[in-house]
């Protein structure tokens, strides 16, 4: 039987609405203990401008300027990329290789994504990458939360 997924998109959001949380990050992240949006926009480096800040309630958010097509993953700052999170394909444990759309929530895997990456194309502007985990310190696996990319007001 055919399935229909209804997704409501919110065009622009207030990217300052979520304040940083002062408690320690509950997610056991390798390296320096932080997650970053790492991709060709940053030379695949873990740069402070693209760090996901802990917002409480298992939410992590990076707000930064982006422009154009990019490949990326959410990852720790260690050289071996031990902690990797990525949008997974619908009804699959594979990495989603089609373009991630602004305003759409995608299921997230916490696993080794290998050489595959997520892709998106963002018109020049400021964007929020919001990661919401289903638990404070998830085990490696699939469907551990979701990622949402939104354009800032």
């Amino acid at each position: 039987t055919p399935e229909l997924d209804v997704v409501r998109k919110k065009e622009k959001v207030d990217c300052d609405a979520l304040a940083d949380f002062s408690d320690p990050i509950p997610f056991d992240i390798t390296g320096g203990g932080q997650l970053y949006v790492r991709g060709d926009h940053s030379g695949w480096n873990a740069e402070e401008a693209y760090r996901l800040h802990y917002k409480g309630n298992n939410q992590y958010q990076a707000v930064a300027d982006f422009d154009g097509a990019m490949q990326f993953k959410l990852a720790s700052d260690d050289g071996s990329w031990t902690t990797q999170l990525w949008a997974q394909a619908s009804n699959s444990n594979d990495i989603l290789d089609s373009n991630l759309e602004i305003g759409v929530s995608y299921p997230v895997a916490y696993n080794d994504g290998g050489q595959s990456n997520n892709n998106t194309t963002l018109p020049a502007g400021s964007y929020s990458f919001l990661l919401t985990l289903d638990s404070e310190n998830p085990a490696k696996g699939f469907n551990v939360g979701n990622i949402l990319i939104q354009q800032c007001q």
Side-chain angles (χ1 to χ4, degrees), residues 1 8 14 25 34 36 47 49 53-54 69 72-73 83 85 105 111 115 119 123 129 131 135 137 141 146 150:
T1 60
R8 183 174 159 242
D14 178 2
I25 294 173
Q34 302 287 330
Y36 299 83
E47 294 185 3
H53 297 261
Y54 184 56
F72 72 95
K73 286 183 186 143
T83 304
L85 295 108
S105 181
N111 217 328
Q115 297 295 315
N119 301 284
F129 280 62
L131 170 69
S135 65
N137 192 22
N146 62 63
Q150 293 177 298

Side-chain angles (χ1 to χ4, degrees), residues 20 34-35 48 51-55 59-63:
D20 287 350
Q34 302 287 330
L35 286 173
E48 180 62 26
R51 181 168 63 90
L52 283 94
H53 297 261
Y54 184 56
K55 303 295 183 172
Q59 291 188 315
Y60 300 78
Q61 182 186 40
V63 175

Side-chain angles (χ1 to χ4, degrees), residues 49-104:
Y50 304 111
R51 181 168 63 90
L52 283 94
H53 297 261
Y54 184 56
K55 303 295 183 172
N57 294 327
N58 304 326
Q59 291 188 315
Y60 300 78
Q61 182 186 40
V63 175
D65 292 334
F66 294 93
D67 182 12
M70 61 184 259
Q71 293 185 7
F72 72 95
K73 286 183 186 143
L74 306 181
S76 54
D77 63 356
D78 63 317
S80 60
W81 291 64
T82 307
T83 304
Q84 293 183 36
L85 295 108
W86 35 267
Q88 61 188 85
S90 181
N91 301 317
S92 169
N93 290 339
D94 295 330
I95 194 165
L96 180 61
D97 58 5
S98 61
N99 214 39
L100 272 68
E101 294 183 42
I102 298 168
V104 177

